[in-house]
């Protein structure tokens, strides 16, 4: 009886330790999603003018569920990445930062996520809100760049 209890306790301890083990990050070679510009909005505008490409702007919030879902799935989709990386300067701005608040006022943003396509002067060409499946997001971009 003591052996059975001891074996049970050992099993529970091993299971408990294993459950706290950090999972390995998935490595998916060749699966490249959207590459977001590393800089501020003004710098993205300058880059847009330099390369003569429109801007894809994602205004998000860190607490926003649909924003997290976009980042986790749609923005990591290979077809989405191929299309947006080839045709746009992509930038994601947290709407709750100072820069984000300025963009919210400038572009009259009312919800997260807000996805806008702007020309190199910063004029809105099209916009949408909420979670978008990969093929829907590509079609959204193709409104401006076929």
């Amino acid at each position: 009886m003591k052996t059975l209890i001891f074996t049970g306790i050992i099993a529970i301890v091993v299971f408990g330790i294993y459950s706290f083990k950090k999972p390995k990050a998935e490595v998916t070679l060749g699966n490249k999603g959207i590459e977001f510009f590393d800089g501020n909005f003004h710098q993205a505008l300058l880059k847009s003018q330099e390369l003569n490409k429109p801007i894809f702007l994602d205004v998000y919030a860190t607490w926003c569920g649909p924003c997290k879902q976009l980042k986790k799935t749609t923005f990591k989709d290979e077809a989405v990445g191929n299309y947006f990386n080839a045709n746009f300067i992509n930038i994601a701005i947290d709407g709750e930062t100072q820069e984000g608040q300025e963009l919210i006022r400038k572009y009259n943003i009312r919800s997260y996520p807000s996805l806008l396509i702007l020309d190199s002067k910063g004029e809105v060409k099209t916009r949408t809100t909420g979670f978008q499946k990969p093929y829907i997001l590509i079609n959204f971009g193709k409104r401006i760049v076929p």
Side-chain angles (χ1 to χ4, degrees), residues 1-19:
M1 183 70 179
K2 289 181 182 180
T3 306
L4 185 59
I5 293 173
F6 181 73
T7 305
I9 290 172
I10 294 295
I12 290 171
V13 168
V14 169
F15 179 75
I17 291 170
Y18 182 76
S19 67

Side-chain angles (χ1 to χ4, degrees), residues 9 21-22 24 37-38 49 51 60 64 68 77 86 88 108 111 116 118 132-134 142:
I9 290 172
K21 181 181 172 190
K22 187 174 181 179
K24 292 181 182 178
F37 182 74
D38 187 26
Q49 292 165 1
L51 299 177
Y60 67 93
C64 165
K68 291 177 185 179
D77 184 84
F88 298 94
N108 196 27
S111 63
L116 293 82
L118 314 169
Q132 307 292 315
K133 291 183 179 183
K142 287 184 176 183

Side-chain angles (χ1 to χ4, degrees), residues 61-115:
T62 56
W63 50 263
C64 165
C67 302
K68 291 177 185 179
Q69 194 66 18
L70 267 175
K71 288 184 187 325
K72 187 175 165 185
T73 59
T74 304
F75 290 168
K76 288 187 178 181
D77 184 84
E78 184 174 6
V80 170
N82 289 340
Y83 174 75
F84 278 86
N85 294 338
N87 295 296
F88 298 94
I89 303 300
N90 307 300
I91 186 163
I93 305 283
D94 183 346
E96 297 192 339
T97 62
Q98 183 178 353
E99 181 180 31
Q101 289 296 304
E102 292 169 11
L103 293 173
I104 284 172
R105 283 188 292 280
K106 179 176 182 174
Y107 294 116
N108 196 27
I109 292 172
R110 300 276 182 225
S111 63
Y112 297 121
S114 284
L115 308 171

